[in-house]
Amino acid sequence: MVLVKAFKGIRPKSELAAKIAELPYDVVNSQEAKELAQNNPYSYFHIDKAEIDLPETLSQYDEKVYQKAGDNLADFLEKGWLVKDNHPNFYLYQLTMDGRSQTGIVACTSIDDYMEGKIKKHEFTRYEKEIDRINHMKACDANTSPIFLTYKNQAAIQEIVENWKRTNATLYDFTSYHDVSHQVWLIDDEKITEQLSTLFEGVDALYIADGHHRSESAVKVGVEKRENKTNSPESDYFLSILFPAEELAILEYNRVLNVPVPENFLDMLSEHFEIEKTTENTSQNPREIQMYLDDQWYTLTIPADKIAADIVESLDVSYLQKHVFEKIFDIMDIRSDNRIDFVGGIRGSKELEKMVATPDWNLAFAMYPTQMSDLLAVADAGQIMPPKSTWFEPKLLSGLFLHDLETK
């Protein structure tokens, strides 16, 4: 069983939701955030990336940045741009992109469930990124961005969700980045919130789709507050949005490199792939990796007899990492090696061509998307995917929901 509970959400006034809500803090850099928030005092980037309100010479990890985030949150609350509900509620958050919708339940989940492995992960985290969110949460005394969780289909839960959407008006309804429609409903019926909590008690596990650093940081903040006896009932939980797995879509997470390419590179690749020239990135099949080199696309097909039995080793990203990045280019840690970068699939293959045309990059690989079944299988096996294996779209906007830790 997992614990999923209602909470007193901090959220925008209805007429300001579209102006406040922004992309997640880790999807844009500081300069992009500053440009997007220009002439918009309501932008959530003033809280989530508060360095935009400070001198550019200051590190985004400076203590002053976190203090500014806390001050800006207090200012948003004082001005009434953000308000805190008086009673614990659930919320529904529906995102629609290219005609496909996914609806999540906005709730709080337990730090104990995370530590006991009932909230399962599929990626490692980096300590320096954890520290950033830990400092941010402490300064704001709140979970400032939700964790993107998923669960295996539960028909009874879905029936409640669909019935509530059908019979109740939305709190927010607007369109934002990439023409994604965002709709939010408030579930303020205590009987329904109790039903949902009870139904989740029958769910064996939740899975982190996106937000490994945020979840690890939220848990560490909660544990530290317990140890220091500064905790509250709310600090034992963290903000999450729970989506049924069958509604989610994973896009490809592509790679670009800046490396010396050996003269016999294609011969080296032929030891591990079947290679065919193509006119463009046309891959629609697993076990096919598209490569862009010297203005030419290639299809690299992994032979069936080379696919490993192990669930992690069998992933396309694992095969590419082992046989190309490590063996040919000696790129052992793709999280820290500056010869490699990653491009979300929503930007398309043309973005890879554009990047390789610059002096910064000379080689690109377009991946077939990792499947939800792979993610769940890896997490259930207690294993870890290679970094940058999944790119979820659409992105959950930040600023629509905050969870007050109530420890100040």
Side-chain angles (χ1 to χ4, degrees):
M1 60 175 283
V2 294
L3 296 176
V4 175
K5 80 176 193 74
F7 70 107
K8 299 176 183 178
I10 296 174
R11 56 184 181 83
K13 290 177 64 176
S14 294
E15 62 270 24
L16 295 180
K19 294 180 179 179
I20 288 176
E22 292 287 9
L23 290 168
Y25 75 96
D26 53 354
V27 172
V28 298
N29 61 38
S30 299
Q31 185 58 41
E32 289 170 332
K34 188 170 186 175
E35 292 171 0
L36 290 169
Q38 191 173 13
N39 301 320
N40 180 11
Y42 307 107
S43 171
Y44 194 66
F45 285 137
H46 294 290
I47 295 170
D48 226 14
K49 293 187 76 68
E51 67 269 18
I52 68 173
D53 294 331
L54 296 170
E56 293 183 3
T57 54
L58 202 65
S59 166
Q60 67 185 61
Y61 307 116
D62 191 283
E63 183 179 344
K64 294 185 179 69
V65 174
Y66 304 113
Q67 183 59 54
K68 185 64 174 176
D71 291 345
N72 285 347
L73 174 56
D75 188 52
F76 274 44
L77 287 164
E78 183 179 351
K79 290 177 176 175
W81 298 351
L82 292 174
V83 294
K84 182 176 179 180
D85 286 329
N86 294 321
H87 303 285
N89 305 303
F90 283 130
Y91 309 81
L92 299 179
Y93 181 16
Q94 178 171 284
L95 302 92
T96 303
M97 180 179 183
D98 297 333
R100 182 187 62 80
S101 295
Q102 60 190 53
T103 305
I105 299 170
V106 187
C108 279
T109 50
S110 166
I111 65 173
D112 293 304
D113 282 351
Y114 180 91
M115 291 187 291
E116 293 169 8
K118 296 178 185 177
I119 298 176
K120 299 184 178 184
K121 53 191 176 182
H122 65 270
E123 289 184 5
F124 286 124
T125 55
R126 295 172 65 177
Y127 184 63
E128 63 271 21
K129 289 190 174 184
E130 292 175 24
I131 289 296
D132 170 53
R133 287 302 99 179
I134 286 172
N135 290 336
H136 195 272
M137 277 184 259
K138 285 182 176 179
C140 296
D141 200 43
N143 300 139
T144 50
S145 298
I147 313 303
F148 184 172
L149 299 180
T150 187
Y151 58 95
K152 295 176 182 177
N153 186 42
Q154 301 288 324
I157 293 175
Q158 295 316 109
E159 183 178 352
I160 292 174
V161 168
E162 293 304 317
N163 182 63
W164 191 269
K165 289 192 300 181
R166 190 170 53 250
T167 57
N168 291 273
T170 56
L171 273 180
Y172 314 135
D173 190 343
F174 62 93
T175 299
S176 188
Y177 297 99
H178 305 298
D179 293 322
V180 176
S181 169
H182 301 267
Q183 294 173 290
V184 172
W185 290 261
L186 169 70
I187 300 182
D188 55 359
D189 184 320
E190 188 173 342
K191 181 179 178 181
I192 297 297
T193 60
E194 289 177 357
Q195 285 180 339
L196 286 170
S197 293
T198 300
L199 286 168
F200 273 108
E201 289 177 2
V203 173
D204 292 332
L206 303 173
Y207 302 82
I208 300 174
D210 197 11
H212 284 79
H213 288 94
R214 277 166 280 161
S215 54
E216 184 74 19
S217 302
V219 170
K220 286 182 176 176
V221 167
V223 170
E224 181 181 315
K225 288 180 180 295
R226 279 183 182 175
E227 293 173 347
N228 294 338
K229 302 189 185 306
T230 59
N231 60 309
S232 74
E234 292 304 311
S235 64
D236 289 336
Y237 292 83
F238 57 93
L239 178 63
S240 302
I241 307 182
L242 297 78
F243 293 85
E246 69 273 12
E247 291 187 2
L248 300 181
I250 302 177
L251 298 188
E252 63 272 23
Y253 213 163
N254 300 321
R255 281 92 164 106
V256 290
L257 284 76
N258 188 346
V259 290
V261 177
E263 288 186 8
N264 62 337
F265 182 48
L266 292 180
D267 291 335
M268 298 172 75
L269 289 177
S270 66
E271 297 179 18
H272 308 290
F273 300 93
E274 298 167 1
I275 304 174
E276 179 183 0
K277 284 187 177 181
T278 56
T279 56
E280 58 182 335
N281 173 23
T282 57
S283 176
Q284 297 294 321
N285 301 305
R287 313 307 178 196
E288 290 182 356
I289 300 169
Q290 303 296 303
M291 181 179 74
Y292 188 67
L293 173 66
D294 295 333
D295 299 323
Q296 175 66 55
W297 281 105
Y298 299 83
T299 297
L300 311 181
T301 302
I302 303 172
D305 61 356
K306 292 184 179 291
I307 299 172
D310 179 82
I311 181 62
V312 174
E313 291 294 321
S314 70
L315 298 173
D316 292 359
V317 287
S318 298
Y319 193 88
L320 182 67
Q321 171 66 30
K322 178 179 180 180
H323 294 292
V324 180
F325 297 164
E326 293 180 7
K327 288 185 177 179
I328 298 178
F329 298 120
D330 195 34
I331 296 175
M332 309 305 291
D333 184 357
I334 63 174
R335 294 179 299 173
S336 60
D337 198 306
N338 61 13
R339 293 174 294 168
I340 188 170
D341 202 0
F342 306 89
V343 184
I346 195 166
R347 295 169 68 180
S349 60
K350 292 299 181 184
E351 179 67 16
L352 300 181
E353 295 179 7
K354 179 181 175 183
M355 293 177 73
V356 170
T358 71
D360 296 329
W361 311 103
N362 65 335
L363 180 61
F365 293 91
M367 311 301 299
Y368 184 80
T370 302
Q371 302 299 292
M372 275 300 305
S373 56
D374 293 329
L375 185 154
L376 298 176
V378 169
D380 282 336
Q383 297 196 56
I384 298 297
M385 284 185 172
K388 312 297 185 181
S389 293
T390 58
W391 179 273
F392 284 89
E393 285 289 352
K395 294 297 182 186
L396 312 184
L397 295 185
S398 294
L400 294 176
F401 314 99
L402 293 83
H403 169 230
D404 190 349
L405 299 181
E406 299 183 357
T407 57
K408 283 186 176 176

